[in-house]
């Protein structure tokens, strides 16, 4: 076990379980490095194509982080806060949202200029950001008033500040609680990765604009209804480009996790943790399933396996019921209507 893991386990385990504690000054840099390493590892799902288009983390970030290991310090131009999560459910999640430094009168950049990182671990929330390049760094505050973990020159008591609730967590993870201390500069989510047109109901299915911005993908309304039951799924589908997409349903919408060739995306899906459900028709009780045709084309709730592009019948594959752990890529692109 690496030094990062040893320190993280010792310091964070009581906080994850909801026990009050103190993060000593000498442990703070290591904890932030561990949080950044966890996020960077989660984002390895991004393909070269995604990185070149601004989705996923650029390889340069991984190279710089590797250099940081020698001095045991987080990435330059980083800020991190630590807080408490309160809610009916306490799972674990990793969210990475690309950011842009916005100045009135200057167009939005073609690539992200920073990334917000949010880790949810039981009762513990770690939230921070880093700028790329570091020369773009501006002063930043966080709306919930959580104690700043990095940079800091004092021990940090936990819990302090306003708790993060289930309602506020999605805003936090989307970077919407970060405020620049230098007017008129603003820190906002990078629009190309976070703002696509809304989905719509079409012929008993939900139509979602694809990341290519030229086509749409579809999934059954049954999956939309499952969100309100607290059940979330992962599936693979594609568009006419041709591109394949790995998609997760979340409480705030469907999130595009990866884009690329069908073979690679299918392997990512197979590697996911989760329960494969048996039967047909999500939303009709335990032990049920919506099936997915080869290539990721979803069947209708009636059980007719259909390629929505060609309408050609295909054989079924299973849809995976996800556990509570979510790895949300910065290409979270659609909100349920």
């Amino acid at each position: 076990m690496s030094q990062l893991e040893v320190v993280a386990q010792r310091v964070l385990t009581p906080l994850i379980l909801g026990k009050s504690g103190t993060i000593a000054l000498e442990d703070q840099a290591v904890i932030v490095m561990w949080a950044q390493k966890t996020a960077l590892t989660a984002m390895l799902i991004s393909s070269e194509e995604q990185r070149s288009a601004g989705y996923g983390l650029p390889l340069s970030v991984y190279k710089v982080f590797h250099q940081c290991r020698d001095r045991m310090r987080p990435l330059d131009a980083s800020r991190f806060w630590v807080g408490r999560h309160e809610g009916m459910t306490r799972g674990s999640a990793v969210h990475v949202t690309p950011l842009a430094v916005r100045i009135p009168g200057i167009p939005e950049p073609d690539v992200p200029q920073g990334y917000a990182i949010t880790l949810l671990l039981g009762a513990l929330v770690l939230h921070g950001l880093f700028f790329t390049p570091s020369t773009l760094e501006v002063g930043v505050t966080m709306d919930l008033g959580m104690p700043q973990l990095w940079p800091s020159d004092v021990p940090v008591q936990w819990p302090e500040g306003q708790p993060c609730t289930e309602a506020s967590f999605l805003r936090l993870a989307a970077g919407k609680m970060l405020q620049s201390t230098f007017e008129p500069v603003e820190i906002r989510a990078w629009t190309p990765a976070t703002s696509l047109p809304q989905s719509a109901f079409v012929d008993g299915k939900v139509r979602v604009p694809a990341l290519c911005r030229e086509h749409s993908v579809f999934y059954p309304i049954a999956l939309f209804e499952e969100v309100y039951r607290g059940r979330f799924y992962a599936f693979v589908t594609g568009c006419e480009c041709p591109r394949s997409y790995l998609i997760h349903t979340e409480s705030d919408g469907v999130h595009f996790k990866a884009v690329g060739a069908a073979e690679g995306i299918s392997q990512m899906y197979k590697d996911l943790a989760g329960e494969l459900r048996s039967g047909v028709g999500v939303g009709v009780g335990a032990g049920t399933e919506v099936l997915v045709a080869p290539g990721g084309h979803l069947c209708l709730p009636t059980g007719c396996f259909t390629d929505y592009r060609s309408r050609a019948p295909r054989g079924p594959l299973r849809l995976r019921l996800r556990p509570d752990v979510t790895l949300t890529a910065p290409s979270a692109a659609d909100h349920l209507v």
Side-chain angles (χ1 to χ4, degrees):
M1 186 180 298
S2 70
Q3 181 180 353
L4 293 181
E5 302 296 337
V6 170
V7 174
Q9 185 179 67
R10 170 176 57 82
V11 175
L12 299 183
T13 297
L15 312 187
I16 293 171
L17 298 175
K19 301 177 181 178
S20 300
T22 301
I23 303 179
L25 187 61
E26 60 269 21
D27 292 330
Q28 292 170 9
V30 179
I31 295 301
V32 173
M33 284 192 67
W34 176 84
Q36 291 178 340
K37 185 215 71 170
T38 301
L40 265 61
T41 301
M43 294 305 298
L44 285 173
I45 194 172
S46 302
S47 65
E48 289 295 335
E49 180 183 2
Q50 286 177 286
R51 292 190 177 100
S52 63
Y55 300 98
L57 294 171
L59 291 177
S60 59
V61 173
Y62 290 88
K63 294 177 181 178
V64 172
F65 185 78
H66 182 76
Q67 296 169 359
C68 290
R69 295 190 312 172
D70 296 334
R71 53 194 179 101
M72 291 304 293
R73 288 178 62 85
L75 291 165
D76 291 338
S78 296
R79 291 180 184 270
F80 254 83
W81 297 266
V82 59
R84 180 182 181 89
H85 180 263
E86 291 184 353
M88 295 295 294
T89 59
R90 285 183 179 173
S92 57
V94 180
H95 289 253
V96 179
T97 300
L99 303 173
V101 179
R102 302 304 307 274
I103 301 174
I106 298 179
E108 185 171 24
D110 294 332
V111 295
Q113 297 171 316
Y115 296 87
I117 295 174
T118 309
L119 274 65
L120 171 63
L121 301 163
L124 177 68
V125 175
L126 291 165
H127 180 64
L129 79 161
F130 63 91
F131 294 88
T132 55
S134 59
T135 52
L136 291 174
E137 182 180 15
V138 297
V140 179
T141 60
M142 206 271 291
D143 287 350
L144 291 180
M146 295 177 179
Q148 185 165 309
L149 182 62
W150 183 265
S152 172
D153 56 6
V154 296
V156 173
Q157 304 297 319
W158 188 93
E160 285 191 356
Q162 183 178 344
C164 177
T165 65
E166 292 181 358
S168 62
F169 178 76
L170 292 176
R171 292 188 65 247
L172 179 73
K176 295 181 178 180
M177 293 190 178
L178 298 171
Q179 305 293 333
S180 168
T181 59
F182 180 70
E183 295 185 357
V185 174
E186 294 184 343
I187 307 297
R188 297 183 190 172
W190 186 59
T191 302
T194 57
S195 298
L196 285 181
Q198 285 191 322
S199 55
F201 294 119
V202 178
D203 298 331
K205 304 179 289 292
V206 182
R207 182 182 66 195
V208 182
L211 291 181
C212 66
R213 297 181 179 265
E214 296 180 0
H215 307 113
S216 297
V217 297
F218 298 83
Y219 67 92
I221 289 179
L223 292 187
F224 175 89
E225 295 169 342
E226 283 286 275
V227 169
Y228 293 97
R229 299 183 178 95
R231 294 192 284 266
F232 306 101
Y233 292 82
F235 60 91
V236 174
T237 188
C239 68
E240 288 89 338
C241 284
R243 294 181 181 181
S244 290
Y245 303 100
L246 175 62
I247 299 177
H248 285 186
T249 61
E250 304 280 357
S251 58
D252 65 333
V254 293
H255 292 239
F256 290 77
K257 310 295 284 187
V259 57
E263 182 178 355
I265 298 300
S266 295
Q267 186 59 52
M268 290 180 183
Y269 172 81
K270 293 176 183 178
D271 292 341
L272 288 174
E275 174 190 351
L276 290 174
R277 311 199 70 180
S278 59
V280 177
V282 165
V284 297
T288 61
E289 173 188 52
V290 164
L291 300 181
V292 186
H297 307 295
L298 297 174
C299 75
L300 297 173
T302 59
C304 175
F305 308 110
T306 304
D307 183 324
Y308 288 151
R309 294 176 292 177
S310 68
R311 312 299 295 177
R314 301 296 180 93
L317 294 175
R318 288 176 176 174
L319 182 78
R320 190 177 297 273
L321 175 63
R322 295 171 40 236
D324 289 338
V325 177
T326 58
L327 304 179
T328 302
S331 50
D334 182 58
H335 294 280
L336 297 177
V337 295

